[in-house]
Amino acid sequence: MQGMSYEKRIALGNQVPTLGQFQVIKQIPQYQTCEVHNLVPAPKDVPETLKHVVFNIERGVTLHETIDFLKMCPDLKDIDIIYANELDDGAERSGNQNVAMEIAKAIGMNYAYGLEFIELVNPNDEKGFHGNALFSRWPIRWAKAVHLPEQYNWYFDRQKRIGARVGIVCSLDVGGREVGAVVVHLENRTDSAGRAAQMDAIYQEIQRSFAPDVPVMIGGDLNTNTFDGNDIPGFTKLFNDPKRLAEHMAKVENYERALPQAEEHGFSYHEFSSTEGTRRKPMPNGACMLLKLDWLMARGMTCQERGTISTETKDCTWAQPDSALAKFTGKELSDHNACWAICKFQ
């Protein structure tokens, strides 16, 4: 995506307190479309199953190690589609690189990218763009950005951003068959009702975009905390009560409307998603709270196999010697694990 000067970004940001995020977004062409790049030819053979992966990449601050992870991990062989969250484009913290493009080129996949936020804090950001991407080894016929109803205004956060949470709705050509693929990132700084309101916008777009018999997979970080991310005393109290926390994680659907809501719209999530925690939320004194935030949910498909892959460095024992991943000394590649499912069309 074409960038803009830091001065222009600041000038647009200064309008947010008066106009609101969505009126400012309307002035920014980069928010109106998805960037789509079909970089590789379609596979000659059409398999009976597709392998789907959901992965919050945490901005791409460990870009080269993450590329090694995607290329070397035994459980990530023969990926068809990756539903990826939090990818920078032109941010200093990730080397001012276009993270989605670098990953796509390195692993040999097509990609669609949708802008979520423009970061305003760092003048050394070449673009300051931050968004979501869908990677596919199958041609992307079209992609739409769906800006979700605002549940938190990030301009007034310490991170200070223009933008809103976004979903990317894509139509893929899988051997002549249309398949819907939707990557979503819901708001963490809200409650269950706020996230469900955002998912309503996704289901409305799916209904507009696809015939009822088109198989569709939704994947992404749904931020199903089981609490309001603004309620620091509340989630700290939950963390300090291991029994209650375990109850929340065992039955996330009892606390997060977005999960039963999926079934009401004809999407199954139980069989496709991880049974383990997927995000390590930092807590005081070096502790972390393991949460189930990352989900795959589908219609018109059945799951044959699924799994979760740790992104903690100590668990990447399969990294090839002398690779960036093997040399990496950080604790984790991302604060989210990667989840996968092998699915067959019904």
Side-chain angles (χ1 to χ4, degrees):
M1 284 184 171
Q2 183 177 358
M4 64 184 80
S5 70
Y6 183 65
E7 291 73 21
K8 176 66 172 176
R9 284 175 257 159
I10 292 299
L12 287 164
N14 287 342
Q15 299 180 47
V16 171
T18 302
L19 299 180
Q21 290 282 13
F22 283 91
Q23 289 302 313
V24 174
I25 284 172
K26 287 179 181 178
Q27 302 177 44
I28 303 173
Q30 291 88 335
Y31 274 111
Q32 312 314 317
T33 60
C34 274
E35 193 173 58
V36 177
H37 296 278
N38 284 306
L39 305 177
V40 297
K44 293 180 180 179
D45 299 323
V46 181
E48 293 185 0
T49 61
L50 296 180
K51 190 168 190 175
H52 304 258
V53 174
V54 58
F55 188 17
N56 183 320
I57 288 172
E58 198 184 1
R59 301 167 174 172
V61 293
T62 60
L63 176 59
H64 301 294
E65 295 82 3
T66 296
I67 288 171
D68 283 349
F69 176 82
L70 293 170
K71 293 173 71 174
M72 296 176 187
C73 178
D75 287 335
L76 292 178
K77 290 186 180 300
D78 303 319
I79 301 171
D80 286 282
I81 305 165
I82 305 174
Y83 306 78
N85 300 118
E86 295 193 13
L87 294 89
D88 284 346
D89 179 7
E92 186 181 35
R93 64 197 177 195
S94 51
N96 272 315
Q97 299 187 79
N98 183 332
V99 171
M101 182 181 70
E102 294 299 327
I103 289 175
K105 290 193 302 183
I107 65 176
M109 298 184 87
N110 309 309
Y111 77 99
Y113 181 81
L115 183 59
E116 187 168 72
F117 295 118
I118 299 176
E119 310 281 353
L120 299 177
V121 171
N122 189 348
N124 295 322
D125 289 343
E126 291 181 3
K127 298 181 184 178
F129 292 173
H130 180 72
N132 299 320
L134 184 124
F135 300 94
S136 170
R137 70 186 187 106
W138 302 96
I140 301 171
R141 297 171 64 238
W142 53 258
K144 302 177 184 177
V146 181
H147 298 287
L148 307 181
E150 182 180 291
Q151 303 298 328
Y152 179 79
N153 190 333
W154 283 88
Y155 182 81
F156 300 105
D157 188 83
R158 61 180 177 81
Q159 295 184 63
K160 201 171 190 182
R161 299 157 152 177
I162 299 170
R165 297 293 184 181
V166 71
I168 306 173
V169 179
C170 301
S171 173
L172 308 183
D173 182 350
V174 179
R177 179 175 193 168
E178 184 178 26
V179 176
V182 182
V183 57
V184 181
H185 195 196
L186 301 186
E187 185 55 66
N188 65 314
R189 303 268 180 108
T190 189
D191 58 12
S192 168
R195 285 183 279 274
Q198 292 183 325
M199 282 303 298
D200 274 336
I202 294 295
Y203 292 121
Q204 289 169 20
E205 187 58 49
I206 289 172
Q207 185 175 20
R208 284 191 292 266
S209 298
F210 300 112
D213 60 345
V214 172
V216 179
M217 177 70 83
I218 300 171
D221 175 2
L222 303 190
N223 271 313
T224 46
N225 299 305
T226 73
F227 51 78
D228 186 333
N230 285 311
D231 183 9
I232 296 175
F235 70 70
T236 301
K237 185 176 180 181
L238 178 64
F239 173 69
N240 290 325
D241 187 343
K243 182 179 178 181
R244 191 161 67 95
L245 178 59
E247 291 171 352
H248 278 231
M249 292 305 102
K251 291 289 184 180
V252 178
E253 62 270 24
N254 290 350
Y255 305 92
E256 287 287 347
R257 179 80 185 88
L259 298 181
Q261 179 188 29
E263 295 178 324
E264 292 164 10
H265 287 272
F267 284 78
S268 173
Y269 67 92
H270 279 290
E271 62 178 305
F272 299 96
S273 296
S274 174
T275 59
E276 307 169 40
T278 66
R279 198 244 168 165
R280 294 172 291 275
K281 180 178 177 63
M283 297 299 288
N285 302 316
C288 69
M289 178 161 48
L290 192 61
L291 301 170
K292 287 185 181 180
L293 305 189
D294 305 274
W295 302 86
L296 289 164
M297 43 184 63
R299 76 177 193 197
M301 304 180 201
T302 57
C303 183
Q304 295 193 330
E305 193 177 353
R306 63 181 174 176
T308 304
I309 308 163
S310 171
T311 57
E312 291 189 89
T313 310
K314 65 180 178 61
D315 296 322
C316 299
T317 55
W318 34 260
Q320 296 175 9
D322 297 323
S323 65
L325 180 54
K327 296 176 181 177
F328 184 60
T329 58
K331 184 179 179 181
E332 58 188 13
L333 302 178
S334 168
D335 56 355
H336 289 248
N337 293 329
C339 307
W340 59 270
I342 297 174
C343 305
K344 187 174 183 177
F345 296 120
Q346 289 179 345

